[in-house]
Amino acid sequence: MYPFSIDVFAARNCWYVASFSRDVTRTPMERWLLDEPVVLYRKENGEPIALEGRCAHRHFPLGEGKLVGDNLQCPYHGFTYAPDGQNVRIPSQDRPSAKCRIKSYPVVEKWRWIWIWMGDPALADPALIPDHGDIGLDDPKLVTDEVLHEELDARYQLIHDNLMDLTHVAFLHQNTLGGGSEASASAKVTETEGENWMEGERIIQNIPTTPHFAGYLGYDGLCDRIIGQRYYLPALHFGWDKYAYPAGHAEAGKIFGQLLVYHGITPARRNSAHYFFATARDFGQEAQEEMRAATSAVIREDVWGLSHVERMLRACNDEMPPEYSARSDTQQLMARRKLEKLIASEMKMAAE
Ligand code: FES
Ligand SMILES: [Fe+2]
C-alpha cells in the first residue's frame, strides 16, 4: 500500500509510544495500536499495563471494563483477566479456564511516555528505546512539555514522509515555524546515518528570527538558524531548531535559544495514526501555556496537510498516478525503503 512498493503494514518488533503517562490511569482506556485494540490501565501500585482490548469470550471491548484490584473485568458476562492476560474468573463456573487468555504487551514508562512492544514479547529489550539522555529529555536546563496527542485520519507513513522532508517548513508552516522565509527550502542539507537512525541538518544564515517565537526568545533581529531532524526507525523523530547570532553580531555564533522536538508516531488503524508531540526548550520557560499553543499550532498545520493527502489517496483507491520526486526527497525515499525492508524481514522471520 502506498507509499510502500510492497504490501506491508508496520514493524512490530520495536517500541512505539502508546500514550503519554498522564493519560493512563485507574480507568481503563481503549487505544488502537497497529490495527489491534489495546486497553491501558494502571495497577494499584501505579505500574502501567497493556492488554488486548477485546474479550476472549464474545469480543466485548475491554476499554469499557472495570478494575477489580489489579485485574480487569469484562462488563458483559464478568470474565476477569489478570495483568498477564490470564483469565482468573468466569462467574458462571467454579473455576477459571487456563485456556482462556488475552494478549499482554510489554510496556516501559520512560520520561513521560508509555512505550509498548506489539511484537514478540521475548524480544522486548528496553535498551532499544532511543537513549533519552542523547535527545535532551534528561537535561535539567530544559523545560519539557507533552504538547499534544492527536489521532490523525491519515496513514502513519505520511507523517514520516512529512518529517523526512523539511522543505515543507517554508510553505506549510509559513505563518508559524517558517517565519515567512523560503530560505529553509533551498538550504543545503548535511545527511548522516547510523545503524537504526538517519539525520539531516541545515544551517540557514542571516534570516529573520521567526516572529512566532521572537517574543519568547527576546530577540527579533537577523539570526542563523540550525534545523535538524534525526529519525530513530521506526517510531520516533527527534528534531532541533537552534537560533544563533549571525556574523557581524558582537556574539556571532552564540546560540541564544533552542527548541527540541519529539514526534512519537504510532500506527493506529491502517489509515490512521497517533501523533505524540513533545518539546524541550531553554526559552519561554515561564510561558508554558503560550509555548504549548505556539508549538501545537505548527503540528496542527501538519495534521491539516496530511489529512488532505490521505483524502487524495483514498480517492484514488491506492491506484496512484506516478509521483515526481525532487533531489530533496532522497532521504525521505531512503527512509521509506528502510522501513519497508525492516517490515519485510520481520514478516519473513515470522514465516520461517
Ligand atoms: S464478552 Fe466478555 S465476558 Fe462475555
Ligand atoms: Fe511540519
Side-chain angles (χ1 to χ4, degrees):
M1 187 166 93
Y2 179 87
F4 290 157
S5 55
I6 53 175
D7 188 24
V8 292
F9 170 47
R12 302 184 62 82
N13 286 325
C14 48
W15 294 100
Y16 287 99
V17 178
S19 177
F20 283 123
S21 293
R22 64 183 176 203
D23 295 331
V24 178
T25 66
R26 288 284 293 163
T27 302
M29 172 176 74
E30 176 179 303
R31 185 154 283 174
W32 283 78
L33 304 170
L34 276 70
D35 218 17
E36 289 183 20
V38 173
V39 54
L40 296 158
Y41 68 92
R42 286 187 191 272
K43 285 174 34 176
E44 285 177 326
N45 67 5
E47 191 188 321
I49 297 295
L51 293 176
E52 186 175 349
R54 182 164 36 210
C55 183
H57 180 221
R58 288 295 179 269
H59 315 296
F60 199 88
L62 290 173
E64 303 296 324
K66 176 176 130 188
L67 293 181
V68 181
D70 289 341
N71 298 335
L72 179 62
Q73 184 182 73
C74 177
Y76 199 0
H77 313 97
F79 281 40
T80 303
Y81 302 93
D84 64 357
Q86 179 58 55
N87 176 270
V88 290
R89 181 168 182 241
I90 298 177
S92 57
Q93 53 190 59
D94 294 342
R95 263 184 259 151
S97 162
K99 283 191 193 148
C100 179
R101 58 178 307 128
I102 52 175
K103 274 195 231 174
S104 149
Y105 303 93
V107 285
V108 169
E109 188 158 21
K110 204 168 159 65
W111 182 64
R112 300 198 289 269
W113 321 100
I114 309 274
W115 294 85
I116 191 165
W117 184 277
M118 299 292 291
D120 179 354
L123 303 176
D125 176 1
L128 296 172
I129 296 173
D131 187 322
H132 282 32
D134 287 350
I135 58 177
L137 279 172
D138 289 346
D139 187 339
K141 294 190 295 301
L142 303 178
V143 163
T144 57
D145 189 22
E146 311 97 307
V147 176
L148 66 82
H149 163 237
E150 284 259 351
E151 191 169 339
L152 269 70
D153 190 24
R155 65 198 68 183
Y156 77 95
Q157 297 96 326
L158 299 186
I159 312 178
H160 293 310
D161 273 7
N162 168 281
L163 293 166
M164 292 307 290
D165 177 6
L166 294 184
T167 62
H168 82 269
V169 170
F171 295 91
L172 193 61
H173 302 305
Q174 58 179 298
N175 297 323
T176 55
L177 209 51
S181 163
E182 291 188 10
S184 66
S186 53
K188 185 177 168 307
V189 183
T190 307
E191 296 174 354
T192 38
E193 61 180 295
E195 200 185 330
N196 66 342
W197 57 268
M198 44 203 303
E199 177 179 307
E201 184 180 79
R202 60 197 80 205
I203 300 174
I204 310 144
Q205 290 170 320
N206 258 325
I207 55 161
T209 302
T210 173
H212 199 57
F213 295 141
Y216 305 110
L217 287 162
Y219 176 82
D220 61 2
L222 292 177
C223 71
D224 289 349
R225 206 162 156 190
I226 305 149
I227 300 177
Q229 190 96 328
R230 186 185 305 153
Y231 178 22
Y232 290 95
L233 274 85
L236 182 75
H237 294 255
F238 160 55
W240 53 97
D241 188 3
K242 298 182 184 176
Y243 296 81
Y245 296 116
H249 188 281
E251 294 182 278
K254 184 182 169 195
I255 290 178
F256 60 88
Q258 57 172 322
L259 170 68
L260 307 181
V261 291
Y262 310 91
H263 313 257
I265 310 301
T266 308
R269 311 301 299 270
R270 287 187 179 253
N271 283 328
S272 62
H274 296 282
Y275 201 138
F276 298 96
F277 179 67
T279 58
R281 57 181 203 281
D282 63 0
F283 63 92
Q285 299 203 337
E286 64 300 329
Q288 189 81 319
E289 288 298 323
E290 294 88 337
M291 281 300 297
R292 186 177 300 148
T295 50
S296 60
V298 178
I299 300 303
R300 289 192 205 289
E301 289 167 338
D302 292 306
V303 170
W304 172 83
L306 299 183
S307 61
H308 279 300
V309 176
E310 180 67 37
R311 179 169 68 77
M312 295 307 276
L313 296 179
R314 287 184 201 170
C316 298
N317 286 326
D318 282 327
E319 293 295 323
M320 284 295 298
E323 63 184 0
Y324 178 81
S325 293
R327 226 182 7 244
S328 56
D329 292 313
T330 312
Q331 246 201 347
Q332 181 200 76
L333 294 174
M334 206 187 298
R336 282 185 187 175
R337 296 294 85 87
K338 273 187 178 225
L339 187 50
E340 196 175 43
K341 220 164 116 190
L342 182 70
I343 304 166
S345 72
E346 271 187 13
M347 289 169 77
K348 191 162 164 257
M349 240 168 61
E352 279 165 3

